[in-house]
Amino acid sequence: MQSFDNKAYYINRELSWLAFNERVTAEVMNAENPLLERLKFMSISASNLDEFFMVRVAGLKDQVKLGIGRPDNKTRMSAAEQLHEISKRVHADVRRLYRSLTTSVLPSLKREGVAFLSPRQWTAAQRQYLESYYHEHVFPVLTPLAIDASHPFPMLANGSLNVAVLLEPNETPEIHLHTPLFAVVQVPSVLPRYLEVKSSSRNHRQCFVFLEAVIQQFIETLFPGNHVLECACFRITRNADIIVDEEGAEDLLEEIEKELKKRDRGNAVRLEVEHTMSNHVVETLRDWLDLEVEDVYSIQGPLDLTFFMRFASLPFGNHLRFDPMPPQAPRDLFGENNMFDAIAKKDILVFHPYESFDPVVHFVNHSADDPRVLAIKQTLYRVSGNSPVVSALARAAENGKQVTVLLELKARFDEENNIVWAKKLEEAGCHVIYGLVGLKTHSKITLVVRRESNDIRRYVHMSTGNYNDTTAKLYTDIGMFTAREDFGEDASLFFNHLTGFAITPAWRQISTAPHGLKDRFIQLIEDEIEQHRKNQTGRIIAKMNSLTDKDLICALYKASCAGVEIDLIIRGICCLRPGLPGVSENIRVSSIIGRFLEHSRIFYFQHGGEERVFLSSADWMTRNMVNRVEILFPVLQQNLKDRLKHILHIQLKDNVNRYVLLSNGNYKKVTPAAGEAPLASQIYFYDSARGFVDETTKATVEAMTPRTTPRS
């Protein structure tokens, strides 16, 4: 049997992630995107990078610090080697991002009448206004922090913006005998990052200044008796991963609450500094933070570009945004007035955000109020800040129904939000399970148990995405409603397995991680190899967010060597290297980056003409197969299978937002061939959804829209 253990067959996970973020950054540089949307992509790229350092780089640094010599199991790169390559790549990426900001985006904004003014551009009137604003609103909030023998370097919060200040007393003896004083001023996050000032130019309808620039201009007011020699901004990124001893924790919720308080105090992993900062100040900060030279990023522009997401949402310049794409009524619900009746008749597919998330909310809302509903069971991973789903579950419990919620407290960076919801649900009388020890519950499933005549009927909703009404407008996901008895039995067994001490059941339709899901995927690939040997029709199309698991990659390599044609649509990380002769020459990898975040997981196996189509909460990552509770479920109804196949084929024809991965690890953007019409798959799907909406269906949508007022 051929071995696929050659490190040249794989792409490093961290470097592949950086390649993904570079594709996001490319949308900033794409002049075809509306200007304010380019600012949003800039914010997303910066936010992605923050999280990458807080988690991935922090983890590698911990390995180096602890002397762990475990290399990446695919590319054999040590932690130190990965950190070095990451630093080289990110320095180049940051320069590219800021070059786009300063040479393209900001000048384009200025041409649209929107300008960010530096202090040297302030008029006398603007300066007077800002000085008054500073004394009235900013000065009272600021706290200068001196650093000397009796004042050690402060524990500055993760991601906070700060100003480093070098001072000398006004009255000093010989200047050459004096060592400058050092102080830090934190830019208050409770104040707006940018301020609007009256414009003095007909060319600029709106003018803005940065809060940190205002503070720097008037910073001497914080240090009377001293002269400011230098002041420059800096920002620290810290290790923000939390580690909880789940086995030893008496109360998991309480333990996570404690750990969250430490998040802002983790070890520093990155230092961003204003490019005007002197070498002396940079080295002083680096020494205090115990960072390497390559951990320092000199920035030519404003630090922390995540603020552009909020700025781009200000009420101006609608022509500088994407055209609105309000979600449409789901085609499978046309002509239906009752969710339960509709699901009882047939399986229903909902394709977000092109189709509305409202039916999912309505399903839970209706279940909460329907006197015939006896029980609701649901998994929650990430929910919105004012979640109508959570409010409906709480109301259902108050209405006397049995409500069980498996709420994952360990959803990274959503822990605090989930703790709030967990407490609210418990107060309402829900049975709240905080996930399983050592695992994250990432599956998305709802079970509603309803009495109908003398029978009990189970209604199930499963999805590739979270029960989050906010991200459902931004992420592409697919959900399925069904009342099939075998799915209902599996759903009941699934929740009993998670809430009790039951062993892993023998499923009728679904497969789950961490017990059996990887084996199921490998078996599906093996079956395709066998079918290809029989009739030369082997075909696999798999769409997911990331592919990192070596066993699954090897299975795909084996299928490719057997002649199976394979297309992978992978938004983010891909450790598989396509197009290698004798290894992966039958594998092609695409990535789609557009106005919506591609989040759905669809798996297609031709199986000699007896097509198998699945949806899942899981990516092909080792963490999903080993450390998470996931669900894979088949789509059995033929029209829904056909629809999912169509979605995959359209994405593979995308010549506007699609990239292809080359065998050297680089990505190349696909463009229309000569005479070929542009096809942007996301626009196509929306136009398709909109084409199904007419006046006759509006009444149906109105009838199925939740009418209950969400609880505060």
Side-chain angles (χ1 to χ4, degrees):
M1 180 182 286
Q2 183 176 353
S3 170
F4 300 112
D5 207 31
N6 189 328
K7 66 180 182 180
Y9 295 169
Y10 302 94
I11 299 169
N12 177 263
R13 180 197 197 283
E14 316 305 345
L15 300 183
S16 181
W17 184 93
L18 289 175
F20 154 67
N21 207 45
E22 288 161 4
R23 298 195 293 282
V24 175
T25 301
E27 296 303 305
V28 178
M29 297 182 270
N30 183 356
E32 304 242 332
N33 285 328
L35 193 51
L36 293 180
E37 303 298 341
R38 293 169 69 187
L39 283 179
K40 288 183 181 179
F41 279 116
M42 188 170 289
S43 172
I44 292 167
S45 176
S47 177
N48 287 347
L49 208 52
D50 283 350
E51 186 170 333
F52 179 72
F53 272 88
M54 286 189 280
V55 178
R56 302 303 305 180
V57 172
L60 291 170
K61 280 184 167 290
D62 283 347
Q63 288 185 42
V64 172
K65 199 168 291 186
L66 295 170
I68 298 173
R70 185 178 67 249
D72 166 34
N73 76 330
K74 292 179 283 291
T75 61
R76 307 286 194 273
M77 291 177 71
S78 69
E81 288 172 329
Q82 292 179 73
L83 286 171
H84 180 64
E85 289 301 316
I86 287 168
S87 179
K88 280 199 306 185
R89 186 93 163 246
V90 175
H91 274 92
D93 291 347
V94 168
R95 285 193 295 271
R96 191 179 306 117
L97 183 64
Y98 275 90
R99 187 162 57 244
S100 180
L101 173 66
T102 56
T103 65
S104 177
V105 177
L106 290 181
S108 297
L109 264 181
K110 191 177 287 188
R111 286 192 291 274
E112 292 289 340
V114 179
F116 282 92
L117 304 179
S118 64
R120 59 185 175 78
Q121 296 173 303
W122 297 350
T123 64
Q126 287 168 341
R127 185 178 183 84
Q128 184 178 13
Y129 165 76
L130 290 169
E131 186 170 11
S132 174
Y133 180 89
Y134 169 81
H135 284 291
E136 290 178 22
H137 300 281
V138 183
F139 179 84
V141 184
L142 299 178
T143 304
L145 301 170
I147 301 170
D148 55 26
S150 59
H151 300 89
F153 189 74
M155 178 55 71
L156 300 170
N158 179 31
S160 63
L161 192 58
N162 305 276
V163 181
V165 189
L166 270 190
L167 305 157
E168 74 174 3
N170 289 335
E171 297 179 9
T172 60
E174 296 296 326
I175 194 72
H176 63 275
L177 298 177
H178 173 66
T179 301
L181 307 174
F182 199 102
V184 169
V185 177
Q186 187 164 323
V187 177
S189 60
V190 293
L191 297 178
R193 175 71 190 278
Y194 45 84
L195 310 168
E196 187 169 4
V197 294
K198 285 185 179 178
S199 174
S200 60
S201 167
R202 284 181 298 177
N203 296 327
H204 299 154
R205 293 189 301 276
Q206 290 179 282
C207 294
F208 298 89
V209 299
F210 288 109
L211 177 61
E212 62 266 30
V214 175
I215 293 171
Q216 286 173 284
Q217 280 299 295
F218 306 113
I219 203 162
E220 285 198 351
T221 59
L222 293 170
F223 304 99
N226 293 278
H227 171 63
V228 175
L229 298 173
E230 177 186 348
C231 65
C233 290
F234 69 97
R235 182 172 180 257
I236 302 166
T237 310
R238 299 186 179 278
N239 184 334
D241 214 5
I242 64 171
I243 300 173
V244 178
D245 177 14
E246 296 181 56
E247 295 281 0
E250 291 185 18
D251 186 325
L252 184 59
L253 186 146
E254 187 178 304
E255 195 66 27
I256 290 177
E257 282 184 305
K258 273 195 266 179
E259 287 298 315
L260 285 174
K261 293 174 183 175
K262 302 176 186 176
R263 177 167 274 168
D264 279 344
R265 306 197 298 272
N267 292 330
V269 295
R270 176 180 60 166
L271 173 63
E272 297 169 281
V273 301
E274 205 172 347
H275 76 285
T276 56
M277 184 179 284
S278 68
N279 224 27
H280 167 67
V281 176
V282 171
E283 288 303 301
T284 301
L285 289 171
R286 188 172 71 80
D287 182 54
W288 280 332
L289 294 168
D290 192 24
L291 290 171
E292 303 296 325
V293 172
E294 61 185 12
D295 298 325
V296 180
Y297 292 79
S298 181
I299 305 296
Q300 291 202 330
L303 275 60
D304 188 7
L305 299 177
T306 59
F307 79 90
F308 273 129
M309 183 63 73
R310 179 171 292 180
F311 179 81
S313 300
L314 289 177
F316 67 85
N318 285 336
H319 66 292
L320 303 178
R321 297 184 172 89
F322 287 132
D323 291 336
M325 291 172 64
Q328 303 296 301
R331 67 169 73 173
D332 285 353
L333 288 171
F334 288 174
E336 302 291 349
N337 293 309
N338 180 285
M339 281 295 293
F340 293 124
D341 291 345
I343 300 167
K345 281 191 260 183
K346 62 180 181 179
D347 294 347
I348 291 168
L349 206 66
V350 189
F351 190 11
H352 313 301
Y354 316 106
E355 295 181 328
S356 174
F357 189 73
D358 284 348
V360 179
V361 176
H362 181 68
F363 178 61
V364 185
N365 260 318
H366 192 153
S367 301
D369 297 324
D370 187 335
R372 287 184 286 178
V373 168
L374 306 177
I376 305 172
K377 302 184 181 186
Q378 187 168 36
T379 59
L380 295 177
Y381 189 71
R382 298 187 195 277
V383 292
S384 62
N386 189 26
S387 172
V389 171
V390 174
S391 296
L393 292 170
R395 192 174 70 256
E398 290 166 351
N399 287 343
K401 303 181 190 308
Q402 290 291 309
V403 180
T404 303
V405 182
L406 203 154
L407 199 156
E408 182 50 74
L409 294 183
K410 304 184 292 292
R412 186 179 287 132
F413 300 119
D414 270 340
E415 299 97 339
E416 290 181 78
N417 191 42
N418 285 2
I419 286 171
V420 170
W421 285 125
K423 291 178 177 178
K424 177 177 178 178
L425 288 167
E426 284 183 327
E427 288 168 5
C430 301
H431 301 299
V432 181
I433 313 298
Y434 301 142
L436 304 183
V437 173
L439 300 172
K440 283 186 180 180
T441 304
H442 190 249
S443 49
K444 294 78 166 77
I445 182 170
T446 303
L447 168 65
V448 172
V449 181
R450 191 170 187 252
R451 178 181 288 115
E452 297 179 0
S453 300
N454 295 321
D455 297 324
I456 295 293
R457 187 151 198 179
R458 287 174 282 206
Y459 295 84
V460 180
H461 174 266
M462 293 173 287
S463 178
T464 67
N466 298 306
Y467 290 105
N468 187 316
D469 55 298
T470 300
T471 58
K473 297 171 185 172
L474 304 170
Y475 292 12
T476 71
D477 273 304
I478 299 172
M480 187 179 81
F481 295 95
T482 183
R484 292 175 186 262
E485 187 56 31
D486 45 5
F487 279 96
E489 288 185 21
D490 277 355
S492 290
L493 290 171
F494 176 80
F495 281 103
N496 291 344
H497 173 55
L498 294 185
T499 60
F501 293 105
I503 61 172
T504 305
W507 309 112
R508 297 186 62 179
Q509 290 291 353
I510 70 172
S511 301
T512 63
H515 304 295
L517 183 55
K518 185 198 279 194
D519 291 341
R520 176 65 169 141
F521 276 126
I522 290 175
Q523 186 59 56
L524 286 165
I525 297 170
E526 292 280 354
D527 289 350
E528 204 62 30
I529 294 171
E530 186 60 32
Q531 287 293 330
H532 186 76
R533 287 184 180 136
K534 290 178 183 176
N535 49 39
Q536 301 298 298
T537 59
R539 183 83 168 100
I540 297 172
I541 308 175
K543 173 175 164 55
M544 65 197 85
N545 291 269
S546 296
L547 169 58
T548 67
D549 188 82
K550 189 174 182 179
D551 295 334
L552 288 166
I553 293 173
C554 288
L556 291 171
Y557 284 161
K558 182 180 175 184
S560 173
C561 292
V564 177
E565 291 293 328
I566 302 168
D567 273 291
L568 305 175
I569 306 170
I570 303 174
R571 172 177 56 89
I573 303 165
C574 179
C575 295
L576 176 148
R577 199 180 287 275
L580 296 175
V583 177
S584 57
E585 56 196 315
N586 291 315
I587 303 177
R588 295 159 297 277
V589 178
S590 298
S591 173
I592 293 173
I593 305 292
R595 66 184 288 176
F596 300 126
L597 184 145
E598 292 290 336
H599 194 253
S600 53
R601 291 96 169 182
I602 311 172
F603 303 97
Y604 168 85
F605 302 89
Q606 187 162 288
H607 198 61
E610 297 177 9
E611 298 170 315
R612 299 170 168 182
V613 184
F614 300 86
L615 296 171
S616 181
S617 60
D619 293 311
W620 284 3
M621 302 179 77
T622 303
R623 72 180 188 189
N624 296 91
M625 301 296 142
V626 176
N627 299 321
R628 293 188 173 190
V629 177
E630 305 276 12
I631 290 181
L632 171 76
F633 56 97
V635 177
L636 303 177
Q637 195 168 286
Q638 189 59 47
N639 69 316
L640 302 190
K641 290 169 70 171
D642 291 342
R643 188 176 177 193
L644 291 172
K645 283 160 47 186
H646 182 65
I647 289 170
L648 293 172
H649 288 307
I650 290 296
Q651 293 220 309
L652 290 173
K653 290 180 181 178
D654 190 314
N655 56 19
V656 174
N657 295 118
R658 184 166 65 97
Y659 292 77
V660 292
L661 175 59
L662 307 177
S663 58
N664 63 6
N666 295 327
Y667 282 81
K668 179 182 178 183
K669 186 141 193 202
V670 176
T671 55
E676 185 180 34
L679 174 61
S681 57
Q682 294 185 349
I683 302 300
Y684 173 91
F685 294 137
Y686 181 70
D687 287 344
S688 177
R690 190 175 57 177
F692 278 86
V693 175
D694 58 25
E695 292 301 319
T696 61
T697 61
K698 287 181 180 177
T700 299
V701 178
E702 182 73 21
M704 301 191 73
T705 299
R707 281 173 162 60
T708 51
T709 304
R711 288 156 48 96
S712 60

